């Protein structure tokens, strides 16, 4: 591991200023991804700006029901928060499906969003990888692709984003609040991560030194039902092969609204807009759900090793929507 | 870069000077001599390095020591209070034969104690049926909540029995 300097930031503005002071500075939050990458030699920063002690650890509910979540809120605390469990149980469930109890006590909201792919070649410095070292090639293409993308991949990179939380946030139209050298901005979570294209080294649209200060989630529509499903190689403590966050409102047998996002299928949490288009205003019956899944999966471009993800995603979407369509009394 | 930090470990205060690259696990084991937390994988994947930091169970291999300056840490060695004997969780592990080689055990015990505190706080898990209700201590809940602790000897069945036994003594208090 290359030596680095360590500085503890005193507030968000101080963190941004410190990060801007050195070209190879990175933020340190819970460390559960970054420290792993330091050990593996994937990143070699010269300065770590520790943001884990900044007072960005509150969850507040605004009068209209919007949840304002600080970037330093630990995954365990976000999952257990009464307002999250009440209004957005799919977010709790997504968080609780990720990592382990001990890791969720460390991992933060900001760090979870910005965790990097678990592509085995990316994590192994002895193999070529365009994400880790641009232009070196992609070892996954022609290698093991079981974990890789079926949507939006490029010839340069077929990696997927591994976060469960981000999938739920994408379905919930959450906004990311940012502070950078240019000031305060915000953007939808669905626009934070990018597709690999010709520059897979960039996971997100963030500029260097931009700090995530929090995440805002608008209130759910009245009568919404939710689910979070995750398929993995063992029943606990494993990343998703595929996951699905879904929310639906059914009124008098008709779908009033539906929001769906898939995980484990693309370089970003995959908001299933085509499926949503089919669902809106249609009768809440199996034929509709099947048509919605089909519409979404028509865009899939699977590889030999991950072709199983297409029928798996289709079955998952249909099963989840059936679950949500059951009228509650 | 060297950095100075203070840690309270099993009730004793330590001030140490470490390279910024030192993990909390290495600082505990190699600098302070607290060798109860074990280095299994060093990548967050096995739980053998679990301790209780400021009341919460955490892994220590993916934390930098400098970032935990000022923390108060209880390792499996610090659970038993001399005269009072072993912590009920430790006693239960012995009585239920919940280990073979013992390498994962200090992490299992810290994790189990932290896990029971989380249940007492009403925190749900992935297998909690209804997130609106406080969780109940089923075997499925215990298994799911301890999935971050691997045991290569496969002592899981008896670990479950030990955790069950310890919950019967929970009036004696956690760490
Ligand atoms: C064994 C293991 C299993 C796991 N399983 C799962 C799983 O099943 N599902 C899942 O979703 N995740 C899983 N994870 C990943 C885990 O969720 C992430 O490691 C964690 O959420 C990262 O958060 P952190 O606070 O520790 O981030 P850090 O490691 O501190 O940071 C991660 C990255 O984000 C940047 N960063 C952090 N905070 C900010 C901020 N506020 N603003 C700007 N940049 C920031 C850092 O510079 C760094 O690049 C697993 C991890 C491990 C080790
Ligand atoms: S899929 Fe992306 S991350 Fe994986 S080896 Fe190819 S370029 Fe690297
Ligand atoms: S050594 Fe820390 S989790 Fe394995
Ligand atoms: S007792 Fe040997 S690893 Fe668990």
């Amino acid at each position: 591991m290359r030596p680095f300097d360590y500085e503890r930031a005193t507030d968000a503005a101080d963190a941004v200023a410190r990060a801007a002071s050195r070209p190879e500075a990175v933020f340190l939050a819970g460390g559960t991804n970054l420290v792993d990458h330091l050990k593996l030699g994937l990143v070699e920063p010269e300065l770590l700006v520790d943001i884990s002690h900044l007072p960005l650890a509150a969850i507040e509910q605004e009068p209209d029901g919007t949840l304002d979540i600080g970037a330093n809120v630990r995954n365990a605390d976000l999952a257990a928060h009464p307002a999250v469990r009440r209004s957005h149980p799919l977010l709790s469930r997504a968080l609780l499906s990720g990592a382990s109890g001990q890791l969720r006590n460390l991992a933060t909201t900001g760090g979870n969003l910005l965790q990097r792919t678990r592509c085995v070649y990316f994590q192994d410095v002895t193999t070529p990888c365009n994400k880790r070292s641009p232009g070196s090639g992609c070892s996954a293409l022609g290698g093991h692709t079981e974990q890789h993308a079926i949507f939006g991949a490029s010839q340069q990179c077929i990696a997927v984003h591994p976060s469960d939380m981000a999938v739920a946030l994408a379905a919930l139209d959450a906004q990311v609040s940012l502070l950078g050298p240019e000031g305060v901005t915000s953007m939808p979570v669905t626009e934070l991560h990018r597709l690999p294209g010709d520059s897979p080294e960039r996971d997100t649209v963030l500029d260097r030194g931009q700090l995530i200060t929090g995440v805002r989630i608008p209130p759910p529509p009245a009568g919404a039902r939710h689910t979070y499903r995750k398929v993995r190689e063992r029943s606990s403590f494993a990343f998703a092969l595929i996951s699905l966050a879904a929310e639906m409102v059914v009124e008098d047998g008709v779908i009033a609204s539906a929001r769906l996002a898939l995980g484990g299928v693309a370089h970003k949490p995959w908001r299933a807009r085509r499926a949503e288009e089919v669902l809106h205003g249609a009768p809440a019956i199996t034929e509709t759900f099947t048509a919605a899944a089909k519409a979404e999966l028509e865009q899939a471009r699977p590889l030999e090793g991950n072709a199983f993800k297409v029928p798996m995603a289709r079955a998952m979407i249909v099963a989840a929507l059936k679950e949500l369509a059951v009228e509650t009394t | 870069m060297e950095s100075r930090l203070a840690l309270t470990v099993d009730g004793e205060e330590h001030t140490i000077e470490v390279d910024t690259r030192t993990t909390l696990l290495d600082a505990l084991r190699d600098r302070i001599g607290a060798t109860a937390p074990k280095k299994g994988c060093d990548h967050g994947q096995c739980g053998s390095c679990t301790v209780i930091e400021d009341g919460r169970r955490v892994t220590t291999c993916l934390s930098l020591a400098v970032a935990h300056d000022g923390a108060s840490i209880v390792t499996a060695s610090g659970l038993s209070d001399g005269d009072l004997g072993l912590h009920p969780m430790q006693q239960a592990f012995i009585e239920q034969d919940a280990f073979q080689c013992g390498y994962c055990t200090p992490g299992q015990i810290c994790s189990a104690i932290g896990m029971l505190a989380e249940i007492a706080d009403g925190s749900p898990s992935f297998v909690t049926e209804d997130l609106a209700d406080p969780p109940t201590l089923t075997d499925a809940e215990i298994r799911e909540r301890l999935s971050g602790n691997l045991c290569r000897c496969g002592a899981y069945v008896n670990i479950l029995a030990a955790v069950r036994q310890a919950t019967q003594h929970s009036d004696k208090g956690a760490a």
Side-chain angles (χ1 to χ4, degrees):
Chain A
M1 204 187 299
R2 197 176 106 176
F4 51 77
D5 292 335
Y6 167 89
E7 296 174 3
R8 211 178 260 205
T10 54
D11 59 34
D14 177 58
V16 171
R18 285 177 194 271
S21 73
R22 305 263 281 274
E24 284 181 54
V26 296
F27 296 121
L28 171 70
T32 61
N33 198 224
L34 181 62
V35 175
D36 209 4
H37 289 179
L38 292 171
K39 289 183 186 184
L40 293 167
L42 310 188
V43 287
E44 298 191 313
E46 53 175 357
L47 170 65
L48 260 53
V49 178
D50 185 355
I51 57 169
S52 67
H53 303 271
L54 298 183
L56 297 171
I59 302 174
E60 270 153 39
Q61 190 153 27
E62 295 171 9
D64 73 345
T66 298
L67 277 186
D68 201 341
I69 300 155
N72 273 343
V73 171
R74 307 288 156 166
N75 289 177
D77 298 329
L78 184 55
H81 196 275
V84 178
R85 284 156 74 179
R86 198 171 44 241
S87 305
H88 307 291
L90 75 173
L91 175 58
S92 285
R93 197 71 80 181
L95 284 158
L96 294 169
S97 79
S100 65
Q102 310 72 320
L103 288 164
R104 292 193 296 271
N105 278 338
L106 292 166
T108 64
T109 310
N112 190 317
L113 278 174
L114 296 183
Q115 63 173 302
R116 309 202 66 192
T117 185
R118 306 301 285 202
C119 172
V120 291
Y121 306 104
F122 171 72
Q123 292 177 288
D124 175 358
V125 288
T126 65
T127 59
C129 167
N130 287 327
K131 185 180 278 298
R132 178 170 27 77
S133 76
S136 62
C138 170
S139 300
L141 278 168
H144 291 282
T145 55
E146 295 78 19
Q147 311 282 346
H148 291 80
I150 56 171
F151 291 121
S154 73
Q155 279 306 306
Q156 293 2 288
C157 178
I158 58 171
V160 300
H161 193 263
S163 168
D164 288 291
M165 180 192 79
V167 176
L169 291 179
L172 293 171
D173 289 305
Q175 292 270 331
V176 186
S177 309
L178 300 161
L179 180 68
E182 316 296 324
V184 174
T185 47
S186 76
M187 68 175 70
V189 166
T190 49
E191 287 168 27
L192 174 67
H193 303 92
R194 51 188 295 290
L195 292 176
D198 287 333
S199 44
E201 69 280 8
R202 294 190 61 204
D203 295 351
T204 70
V205 300
L206 294 189
D207 292 325
R208 219 191 55 74
Q210 263 186 308
L211 178 75
I212 295 181
T213 53
V215 169
R216 290 164 59 81
I217 311 177
R225 302 194 65 212
H226 315 84
T227 189
Y228 186 79
R229 292 180 173 227
K230 178 171 177 177
V231 177
R232 39 188 160 172
E233 286 173 338
R234 58 184 185 196
S235 64
S236 187
F237 199 23
F239 285 92
L241 284 168
I242 304 192
S243 65
L244 171 68
E247 178 209 76
M248 187 161 73
V249 180
V250 178
E251 282 164 8
D252 302 326
V254 174
I255 301 162
S257 75
R259 299 190 287 182
L260 270 65
L262 289 158
V265 294
H267 200 253
K268 58 187 289 184
W270 190 259
R271 183 73 184 258
R273 306 255 184 215
R274 294 193 189 191
E276 291 176 10
E277 272 169 35
V278 173
L279 295 169
H280 288 163
I285 53 173
T286 305
E287 288 69 24
T288 305
F289 307 149
T290 311
K294 182 163 176 271
E296 195 61 44
L297 287 155
E298 261 163 14
Q299 314 162 73
R301 297 288 173 270
L303 301 151
E304 208 183 309
N306 66 10
F308 71 90
K309 285 189 178 181
V310 175
M312 191 182 266
R314 186 182 302 126
M316 198 179 215
I317 292 172
V318 174
L321 294 174
K322 275 190 190 168
E323 175 196 332
L324 298 184
V326 175
E327 303 279 350
T328 42
T329 43
Chain B
M1 177 188 160
E2 292 279 312
S3 193
R4 204 179 166 70
L5 63 116
L7 289 174
T8 304
V9 181
D10 297 333
E12 257 181 57
E13 285 174 32
H14 300 264
T15 305
I16 52 172
E17 191 122 337
V18 296
D19 186 291
T20 47
R21 291 171 288 183
T22 312
T23 61
L24 183 55
L25 177 60
D26 286 342
L28 287 171
R29 290 182 56 84
D30 301 343
R31 301 300 305 280
I32 292 173
T35 54
K38 300 286 181 278
K39 188 183 284 190
C41 66
D42 216 18
H43 292 286
Q45 297 168 0
C46 74
S48 68
C49 65
T50 304
V51 301
I52 299 168
E53 177 178 5
D54 301 324
R56 291 159 69 110
R57 58 173 170 160
V58 291
T59 49
T60 50
C61 63
L62 295 182
S63 293
L64 293 177
V66 277
H68 293 253
D69 182 15
S72 178
I73 286 166
V74 177
T75 75
S77 303
L79 292 169
S80 68
D81 176 349
D83 300 338
L84 290 175
L86 295 176
H87 185 281
M89 189 66 76
Q90 294 173 315
Q91 192 62 42
F93 266 66
I94 291 171
E95 288 173 18
Q96 297 294 334
D97 198 14
F99 49 85
Q100 290 175 43
C101 76
Y103 197 80
C104 71
T105 313
Q108 299 277 6
I109 288 177
C110 288
S111 188
I113 291 169
M115 179 276 286
L116 291 181
E118 289 162 12
I119 291 199
D121 280 350
S123 300
S125 85
F126 188 64
V127 301
T128 306
E129 202 89 358
D130 189 339
L131 294 179
D133 298 334
T136 45
L137 196 69
T138 60
D139 286 354
E141 284 278 2
I142 296 173
R143 285 199 191 93
E144 162 62 23
R145 289 167 190 264
L146 290 180
S147 70
N149 291 83
L150 306 192
C151 174
R152 287 195 63 177
C153 300
Y156 297 111
V157 174
N158 292 357
I159 291 172
L160 181 64
V163 174
R164 276 245 161 263
Q165 174 180 329
T167 59
Q168 264 107 71
H169 297 255
S170 54
D171 49 322
K172 282 200 195 169

